[in-house]
Amino acid sequence: MTEHVEAVVAGGGPAGAVAALVLARAGRRVLLVDRCTGESATSAFKVGETLPPAARPLLHDLGLWPAFAADAHLRCPGTCASWGSETLHGRSHLYDPHGHGWHLDRSRFDTFLRDAAVAAGARLREADVVSRYVTDAGERRLVVREQGRLKEVSCDWVVDATGRRAVIGRRLAHRSRQDRLVAVFALFSRRLPGQASDDSELRTLVEAAPNGWWYTARVPAGRVVAHLTDVDLTDTVLRTAEGFLGEVARTRHIRARVDGYDPAHAPPPRWTAAHGLRLSPPAGPGWLATGDAAVAFDPLSSQGILTALHTGARAGATVDRCLAGETDSLAAYGAFLDRIANAYQHNRTEAYRQEQRWRRHAFWRRRQRWA
């Protein structure tokens, strides 16, 4: 017999876990399906690690603040950037009403959120959603792959929290891709012999370059360094540890933050999509998208995880209201995402407009067209 629940949340990242948490606390029968539930705090580093101070009141509202505050995530006191000039300009969180931000251990943070959803009553299933369809009676069914076998799950509502893959949303709505941005990143974790054992600089550093931009941040596992550029502009040297280190050496400020780390233990760089993305519409009868599946941001915004938490909480509340018969709440959810996406678009345009040194280079020329 096909299992039936009120809601299935596909994807167990921050957006999906929070959506499941909200639904479970509302008393709904919710199944959280995640293909990465076996990830532990000691597993491979996961990029996307900055949580801004504005997350504090949301974590309070979700009842997660005490446990989060007791965890070992690093404090982030602010950002400094070489953007628009070679000089570093700082922005401190000292006067932020919410205090400082955090450099997260993402694997541990994601596990923390999933555990909170389970503690609230959500059921966690280690599987991957592969398709969705609607029966003649309007019943939603998901096909999931669990331990190599395909199984069906029946539900009233589906929340797509599968990130940029948008496994469900891409079949039901239009995805507009903003650019071709990718992130090439590496985690440096071993210090050189004789160097200080601790890297005490906790501010995020951003540095613009002719073919893109760089950032580095101290994280619990070491120091992450990432280069952001368009996929068609990437240099093949970035595919090896030696080539990546060579490109780091050509920077002005980033290289200073890596001093003291042992280049002999530099890992091969990893690649991940970083392009902006928007799903339109983000919801329809029996389904809605949240997090990166609905609207994904350029990492320059440092708002990705915060937006995932906000949209996940709103998605859970929206599905709960729809299950109670308040179907007009879908329109309010769409308007909520529109406000977020429009504010992001304005801020992104303004940020890239501030860098004029390489406006004739392809990466920057493309972004000046938005102004």
Side-chain angles (χ1 to χ4, degrees):
M1 183 177 295
T2 302
E3 178 183 10
H4 183 85
V5 294
E6 289 178 287
V8 171
V9 178
V18 169
L21 171 69
V22 170
L23 280 163
R25 285 182 177 166
R28 299 299 180 181
R29 299 189 311 279
V30 56
L31 179 66
L32 177 58
V33 179
D34 182 34
R35 63 177 179 172
C36 299
T37 56
E39 231 173 15
S40 71
T42 58
S43 62
F45 173 76
K46 187 174 183 179
V47 75
E49 66 291 324
T50 301
L51 189 63
R56 188 185 300 251
L58 179 58
L59 291 171
H60 270 292
D61 291 345
L62 292 170
L64 300 175
W65 172 251
F68 174 80
D71 214 336
H73 301 294
L74 288 180
R75 180 175 58 90
C76 176
T79 302
C80 54
S82 171
W83 194 274
S85 73
E86 291 186 355
T87 304
L88 283 177
H89 300 277
R91 185 179 64 186
S92 173
H93 292 158
L94 180 62
Y95 301 108
D96 192 296
H98 303 303
H100 62 77
W102 299 269
H103 295 306
L104 301 174
D105 179 323
R106 267 299 303 281
S107 294
R108 191 167 71 245
F109 181 67
D110 289 1
T111 300
F112 162 72
L113 294 175
R114 287 194 297 264
D115 288 348
V118 171
R123 287 198 300 113
L124 183 60
R125 189 163 175 178
E126 188 169 352
D128 195 15
V129 173
V130 295
S131 65
R132 166 197 182 274
Y133 63 92
V134 180
T135 66
D136 292 338
E139 180 185 22
R140 277 88 190 165
R141 295 198 178 194
L142 293 180
V143 178
V144 302
R145 182 179 292 110
E146 184 177 12
Q147 297 179 344
R149 298 177 61 188
L150 296 181
K151 300 180 180 180
E152 279 191 353
V153 178
S154 170
C155 61
D156 301 312
W157 277 84
V158 182
V159 177
D160 186 349
T162 58
R164 285 184 168 88
R165 294 186 303 144
V167 171
I168 297 161
R170 70 186 181 195
R171 295 182 172 92
L172 302 170
H174 173 69
R175 290 194 299 171
S176 56
R177 184 169 175 164
Q178 198 169 48
D179 49 43
R180 304 184 67 189
L181 194 68
V182 293
V184 188
F185 66 95
L187 176 70
F188 296 84
S189 58
R190 186 173 297 191
R191 303 286 286 174
L192 284 165
Q195 293 290 321
S197 59
D198 189 27
D199 176 359
S200 59
E201 177 54 77
L202 296 179
R203 292 175 299 171
T204 300
L205 172 63
V206 177
E207 180 175 350
N211 62 341
W213 55 276
W214 293 79
Y215 87 87
T216 183
R218 179 76 167 85
V219 294
R223 175 166 291 278
V224 60
V225 177
H227 179 50
L228 284 295
T229 188
D230 290 335
V231 65
D232 61 319
L233 303 178
T234 55
D235 195 317
T236 56
V237 302
L238 289 169
R239 298 189 178 276
T240 66
E242 295 77 14
F244 188 80
L245 284 169
E247 292 301 298
V248 170
R250 296 175 63 181
T251 65
R252 181 181 178 89
H253 302 287
I254 297 290
R255 64 185 182 188
R257 295 286 178 91
V258 184
D259 283 348
Y261 286 92
D262 190 347
H265 291 88
R270 294 165 57 193
W271 296 60
T272 188
H275 57 269
L277 190 70
R278 190 168 179 179
L279 191 70
S280 181
W287 73 276
L288 59 75
T290 189
D292 282 354
V295 55
F297 289 170
D298 183 321
L300 185 63
S301 70
S302 296
Q303 298 292 307
I305 303 176
L306 178 63
T307 301
L309 296 174
H310 271 294
T311 60
R314 181 63 73 93
T318 299
V319 171
D320 177 50
R321 287 194 290 269
C322 288
L323 286 167
E326 302 175 28
T327 54
D328 57 345
S329 61
L330 276 187
Y333 180 73
F336 164 74
L337 287 180
D338 284 344
R339 290 193 297 273
I340 290 176
N342 292 338
Y344 156 73
Q345 183 67 36
H346 171 77
N347 293 335
R348 174 176 179 262
T349 299
E350 289 300 311
Y352 278 107
R353 180 186 290 164
Q354 293 171 15
E355 179 54 81
Q356 295 288 322
R357 287 175 290 170
W358 300 291
R359 60 183 180 273
R360 290 186 175 85
H361 289 250
F363 180 87
W364 298 99
R365 186 172 66 249
R366 292 168 182 175
R367 283 148 180 83
Q368 294 306 317
R369 294 171 186 163
W370 307 330

